[in-house]
Amino acid sequence: MVIEVERKFVLGLDTERRLRAAGGQPRGGRSFLDRYYDTEQRALTRADHWLRNRSGRWQLKSPTAAAPAPGENPAPGTAPGTGENRAPGTAPGTGPGMGETSAPGTRTGAGTTSGEAPGPGIAPGAAPTPGTSPGRGGGATRYRETETEAEIMAVLRELLPGLVDTGLVDTGLVDTGRTGDIERLVSARWLREFAAIHTRRSSWQLPGGVTVDLDQTDFGHRLGEIEVTVAREDQVPAALCRIQAVAQELGVGDGESIPGKLHVFLEKFRPDHYRELREAGVL
């Protein structure tokens, strides 16, 4: 498992010049297509879980405990690196791909349709209380990114109560390593695509293990992302400090906020889904 700590920012006319001045080295560009899936009842996204297929590779982002931002103290009785405090001025809308004023996300490891087949319900207690998405805290997001199908299915079976009863999945998937179960759920319309986003990305490497990605989507949204990966939750505050230092070199203001790609996509093209997640406190 690695933890991906990130902060999104508005691209400026001088962003690349500032990257070079900060010691950044271009790492080239690439394009990829993200297709996001959920149940008919939106059980995954309402629980702040984000299942996507990125250019043929399945990934599931699920929230982890949030750590306090640099300079913040954990709540009484909260272990360091697991506080749920949220930095003043942090805007809502900070799920994976959603956007945040200062950010992190975590990973371990990578057109709505409708129909009559019922999807699985959400596990009791899985939906976050409004304004308290477990992937957010301290002005940051924490998401575990799982990329093996066995591990993804283990999470889905726990989150979606009726999944095993369908007979569509292998109950021993983690032990047998069987693949294709997610595709079977898509084919049976238990999982339905609700977003498809094509992104062109150029990446830069900075000293201290900092990566900066500059993204352009097929629907016109542009944003940058400062990223550091660490191995443990207790390393997140130090990573945030490194990100904050780079943000200052790039001229990114402390209160600057930009919505992420998926946030903008939902608001533009799936307003009902967007409104439901806002009301649930996920966005």
Side-chain angles (χ1 to χ4, degrees):
M1 173 197 301
V2 296
I3 300 173
E4 184 184 76
V5 187
E6 63 185 33
R7 176 174 180 176
K8 290 177 171 56
F9 65 94
V10 178
L11 296 182
L13 295 176
D14 62 347
T15 295
E16 291 195 1
R17 179 189 63 78
R18 287 177 176 270
L19 282 167
R20 290 189 177 90
Q25 297 293 324
R27 295 172 52 192
R30 66 188 180 106
S31 296
F32 51 88
L33 176 64
D34 289 327
R35 296 185 181 276
Y36 287 86
Y37 294 84
D38 203 347
T39 68
E40 186 178 17
Q41 292 82 10
R42 299 168 180 160
L44 296 180
T45 54
R46 285 195 293 113
D48 206 12
H49 285 62
W50 308 86
L51 177 66
R52 73 184 177 199
N53 187 297
R54 171 166 288 182
S55 298
R57 187 176 184 181
W58 288 105
Q59 301 174 329
L60 176 68
K61 284 183 177 282
S62 51
T64 68
E72 290 185 347
N73 294 319
T78 301
T82 61
E84 277 292 321
N85 296 327
R86 188 171 174 183
T90 298
T94 56
M98 296 301 173
E100 49 274 333
T101 57
S102 54
T106 8
R107 75 180 177 199
T108 76
T112 302
T113 56
S114 61
E116 295 73 30
I122 191 168
T129 302
T132 59
S133 170
R136 301 199 299 260
T141 60
R142 311 277 190 289
Y143 287 92
R144 179 174 292 107
E145 186 173 294
T146 305
E147 295 190 332
T148 68
E149 187 163 350
E151 292 174 325
I152 291 173
M153 286 304 303
V155 176
L156 295 184
R157 286 200 304 272
E158 182 177 349
L159 189 64
L160 306 175
L163 191 57
V164 174
D165 296 338
T166 66
L168 296 171
V169 300
D170 178 6
T171 57
L173 183 62
V174 173
D175 297 324
T176 65
R178 181 177 122 178
T179 60
D181 280 344
I182 300 176
E183 293 289 352
R184 280 185 280 276
L185 292 173
V186 172
S187 297
R189 298 180 60 75
W190 266 61
L191 293 174
R192 306 173 183 201
E193 180 183 309
F194 68 88
I197 302 173
H198 188 271
T199 300
R200 287 187 292 109
R201 167 173 291 177
S202 63
S203 297
W204 293 70
Q205 187 66 53
L206 276 73
V210 180
T211 299
V212 175
D213 293 324
L214 311 180
D215 288 353
Q216 168 78 55
T217 70
D218 56 354
F219 56 89
H221 190 53
R222 299 174 67 247
L223 74 160
E225 184 176 277
I226 307 168
E227 177 184 302
V228 174
T229 59
V230 296
R232 303 188 311 272
E233 287 277 357
D234 61 4
Q235 296 172 323
V236 168
L240 281 169
C241 288
R242 287 150 67 191
I243 288 173
Q244 183 174 334
V246 170
Q248 290 175 347
E249 291 188 86
L250 297 183
V252 179
D254 289 341
E256 181 179 311
S257 174
I258 179 173
K261 293 174 286 188
L262 189 51
H263 181 132
V264 173
F265 182 95
L266 290 172
E267 188 173 13
K268 278 177 167 278
F269 305 113
R270 306 289 182 264
D272 290 344
H273 195 165
Y274 173 79
R275 184 164 48 252
E276 182 176 336
L277 296 182
R278 292 280 292 182
E279 291 172 354
V282 176
L283 302 186

